[in-house]
Amino acid sequence: MGATVLVSALSAGFGVVLLSTTGYLSALLRADPYVGDSEMLAFILGFLTVLLVGVAVYVAAIVTANTFATVVSGRTRRIALMRLIGASARSQRREVARQGLVVGAVGAFLGLIAGTVLSAVGVGVASSLLGVGDLGYAVVQPVLLVPAVVVTLTTWAAAWAGSRRVLTVTPLQALSGTVEAPHAEVARRTGRTVAAAVLLLAGGALLAGGVVLGLITPLGVIVAFAGGILSFTGLAVGATFLMPPVLRLTGRLFGQSVPARLAAENALRYPERSSRMAIGVVMGVTLVTMFAVAMESVKAVLTATAGGELDAEMATLIDSFSAVMMVLVGFSAVIAAVGLVNLLTIGVVQRRRELGLLRALGLSGGQVRRMVLIEAAHIAISALVAGLVLGTVYGWAGAQSLLGTVPASADSGPVSTLVAPAVPLWPIVAVVVGTAVLTLVAAVVPTRLATRIAPVEAIADVG
């Protein structure tokens, strides 16, 4: 559960730092005689804070739910044994949920402390560099408890959601070694498939509606934002049937060697395990790509509205704002990356008997290591492609729905403008390189664990 504590701490700390940063900026602006009374700036700062903290908590919730789902899968036999001696499924689920609450509270508290200390240091450094006097801003405020409380409750809820499989564990499973549902069983879960389809369709419709509404009013961005949340939630819910086709195509890139064929089959045999690991990378890539495309599309919309040429100062301002936003959004991508490393490691630990059997059948340690690495590459490449597509769509829809109707000049009325998605080259290159590095780093510990498994010990292990 150490990774879940880290995810909770990162989310809470990020929220504390953001609240402190926007609070300090608001105090700085209030001290400026020219913009001190600007309600619009205060609204923008508050909106960005809520948006970014919300994104971080959303990512952390999905990562936590997937982590607990994987942990519960690994405890299937233990839970079944408890059922065999009289424990109810609901009592077992409550136990997992209590663990989530404790882990969330510990992580949130650590994040609160670290975030407050970091904020205090940051405020002091900023005041010194800017040469401003006493702004009357206090770092320690009751509002900083909000991210900690939200993260604690979200982790608890995510643990509860991730442990839903406990309800399906029967006492007879104490006699088997199954920890993950195979593809055939997952394919029979029509309820989840229908729910995912409804969310995807509703989200897609709202995204399209937000873009169309954006040609009339900037409020279209609210509709598009709701569509983005619903559609991505649908993707997360339906990842078990959406990701396998992508993984199957990716598997063809690695040839027909024994480790490559085994890696491809492993990725498809247990779609729940693969989709849990993939969805974290999809989230990280989507977020970074979304903001990069959104900022580039904003420039494209404003350029088209201005008649083909954007003011140099405006372009510089947008680029600077884009750089800041990319750094902040990158924090949520780090949370998703922690989830990938954690799930890969847990997956190898839970597959001791499987990997030991492969060693006993003649695979060398190097072949097993390559198999695990190729599995990670399958997931990373599939998630990268999905994230780039989703991020491009979401980023363009956000920019278009917000600025689809803006005045061409101070003296003219609003002009409806529709542009194609603008995709910046270097941020996308950075995303691809970053994903490749993440895959290699995330696979280091699992590959080492895989090669340390002795065939005889692993096969004899019945725990």
Side-chain angles (χ1 to χ4, degrees), residues 384-432:
L384 174 65
V385 173
L388 288 174
V389 172
L390 289 171
T392 300
V393 172
Y394 289 154
W396 171 76
Q400 187 65 61
S401 60
L402 178 63
L403 299 173
T405 172
V406 293
S409 65
D411 301 325
S412 63
V415 177
S416 296
T417 306
L418 184 65
V419 300
V423 182
L425 174 61
W426 293 114
I428 299 303
V429 171
V431 168
V432 173

Side-chain angles (χ1 to χ4, degrees), residues 62-129:
I62 292 182
V63 169
T64 301
N66 286 336
T67 299
F68 272 92
T70 304
V71 170
V72 168
S73 295
R75 293 180 182 176
T76 297
R77 298 187 67 199
R78 174 183 174 276
I79 293 170
L81 285 169
M82 296 299 294
R83 295 290 312 282
L84 197 62
I85 61 177
S88 68
R90 295 190 179 278
S91 68
Q92 292 294 295
R93 193 181 189 189
R94 283 196 296 269
E95 178 186 345
V96 175
R98 280 195 297 270
Q99 290 178 0
L101 181 62
V102 172
V103 166
V106 171
F109 176 75
L110 294 175
L112 174 64
I113 299 300
T116 303
V117 172
L118 185 60
S119 298
V121 173
V123 166
V125 172
S127 298
S128 177
L129 292 175

Side-chain angles (χ1 to χ4, degrees), residues 144-289:
L144 298 185
L145 292 173
V146 173
V149 173
V150 170
V151 167
T152 300
L153 296 178
T154 303
T155 305
W156 177 47
W160 178 263
S163 62
R164 60 186 176 275
R165 191 184 175 191
V166 171
L167 299 176
T168 66
V169 176
T170 64
L172 288 177
Q173 286 180 277
L175 305 177
S176 70
T178 302
V179 297
E180 291 282 0
H183 184 272
E185 180 181 333
V186 172
R188 291 195 296 267
R189 298 175 183 173
T190 55
R192 188 167 184 173
T193 303
V194 171
V198 170
L199 287 170
L200 283 169
L201 290 174
L206 287 175
L207 270 175
V211 171
V212 173
L213 186 60
L215 297 173
I216 304 172
T217 170
L219 294 178
V221 71
I222 299 176
V223 178
F225 179 76
I229 293 293
L230 284 179
S231 59
F232 195 89
T233 302
L235 174 66
V237 171
T240 51
F241 69 87
L242 291 173
M243 290 307 299
V246 183
L247 289 167
R248 186 175 289 107
L249 290 174
T250 305
R252 297 176 182 175
L253 300 175
F254 294 91
Q256 295 297 316
S257 66
V258 172
R261 291 203 307 271
L262 286 171
E265 288 300 320
N266 286 335
L268 294 170
R269 187 180 298 117
Y270 300 111
E272 283 189 328
R273 182 171 62 198
S274 300
S275 63
R276 287 190 208 114
M277 289 187 283
I279 200 66
V281 183
V282 171
M283 283 189 298
V285 173
T286 299
L287 285 170
V288 177
T289 304

